[in-house]
Amino acid sequence: MNYSYTDYFAQIYDDVMRQVPYSFWFRYLKDLLKYYKSEPEQVLELAAGTGNMTVNLVKLNKIDRVIALDLSSAMLDKSMENFADKFPYFNKLSAQKNKTKAVVKTAKQRQVELLFLEKNMSKFKLANKVDLIVSFFDSLNYLTEKDQLVACFTSAADSLSRDGLFIFDMNSLARIRTIGNRSIVLEGEDYTCFWQDIVYPENNLWQVKLKICPDHQDIPCFEELHTERGYKINTITSLLKKSGFSAVDIYQAFSFREGRDSSDRLYFVAALNKKRLTETQTQFKKYYYLIKNFCDYSYLNLKYSL
Ligand SMILES: C[S@@+](CC[C@H](N)C(=O)[O-])C[C@H]1O[C@@H](n2cnc3c(N)ncnc32)[C@H](O)[C@@H]1O
């Protein structure tokens, strides 16, 4: 058992994650983009999964091309279903091996090209550069070896336009080490999911063993193993620099406070151009976003009791 995001888990993923405040995450992304004066036209999402953030990315004002990359074809299939459910106009144009092209119309009747790519985020190459690359929900922690991270960051650097941004979140080292061993049972409408967290603090590893049993006696239970590794901020920063990025800002998730190894979730903003992260900043702007995000985060705490 050394695989994850199989067909069955993809089917129940959105139900298991129904409490995840993706719309708040999207608001935070928009704040980061405003802060760095970025108005992307093309975006690549790494480990895009079932598309919970991808469906939001098409709403960015100037976006005309969105690429959703993931290793799991089952997750990408689910993402296309989600697009078809959420948008009255969603049309598949072509489907080749590992690559599906589609088009969607937003509420403002803007047409956005979509490309669903079944690929490893440690090894990808795009035909055309994009001006934003993103990844959410600790997907980068699934790269458990430093050379996988370097390969991913190098592919990202090669795929990004000169003034583009690479924005991703990660579970911090502190979070991975302190998740704790526990077992829970998640009851869905037509399945039971046995979830076991196993932490190896000495190796900075967190594993989740899942056993998913459909409530149907003829369908056997499925098992999956998920493995994430936590890294020090300095490690990620130096791997980004080794891969071609010149500037990196690190935040505590959903805030404009500096990220630390003791923070729970971290957001990294990386740029190829050394001056890209500083040239648009003023002290006033920094304080404005600090206060705005403090208010937003307090609101989130109340709303979701996180
Ligand atoms: C926790 S899920 C997050 C999915 C999505 N980003 C979200 O916010 O819901 C992690 C995703 O990473 C993908 N993944 C894991 N390792 C990968 C790899 N090496 N290359 C591409 N995708 C990968 C999985 O298939 C899964 O869809």
Side-chain angles (χ1 to χ4, degrees), residues 5 13 22 45 47-49 52 69-72 75 119-121 136-137 139 142-143:
Y5 298 99
Y13 180 85
Y22 286 104
E45 185 185 359
N52 289 319
L69 179 152
D70 201 282
L71 194 55
S72 160
M75 294 294 271
K119 272 199 188 299
N120 193 324
M121 61 180 154
F136 305 97
F137 213 172
S139 301
Y142 277 78
L143 301 180

Side-chain angles (χ1 to χ4, degrees), residues 176-217:
I176 295 277
R177 281 185 180 159
T178 56
I179 282 171
N181 295 327
R182 61 163 196 169
S183 296
I184 51 169
V185 180
L186 305 169
E187 291 285 359
E189 216 168 82
D190 52 5
Y191 67 88
T192 306
C193 175
F194 301 90
W195 177 300
Q196 189 185 4
D197 290 313
I198 309 158
V199 179
Y200 302 92
E202 64 287 2
N203 296 322
N204 307 323
L205 284 177
W206 167 38
Q207 289 197 317
V208 181
K209 272 191 189 170
L210 296 180
K211 185 171 178 182
I212 304 153
C213 298
D215 292 346
H216 194 294
Q217 57 192 19

Side-chain angles (χ1 to χ4, degrees), residues 153-171:
F153 294 163
T154 306
S155 301
D158 291 345
S159 308
L160 199 60
S161 60
R162 180 76 191 135
D163 282 324
L165 296 177
F166 179 26
I167 301 179
F168 58 93
D169 71 12
M170 283 188 105
N171 270 329

Side-chain angles (χ1 to χ4, degrees), residues 131-150:
D131 43 25
L132 177 65
I133 301 179
V134 289
S135 185
F136 305 97
F137 213 172
D138 38 274
S139 301
L140 269 291
N141 293 92
Y142 277 78
L143 301 180
T144 54
E145 301 301 327
K146 284 185 199 166
D147 57 359
Q148 294 173 329
L149 280 171
V150 170

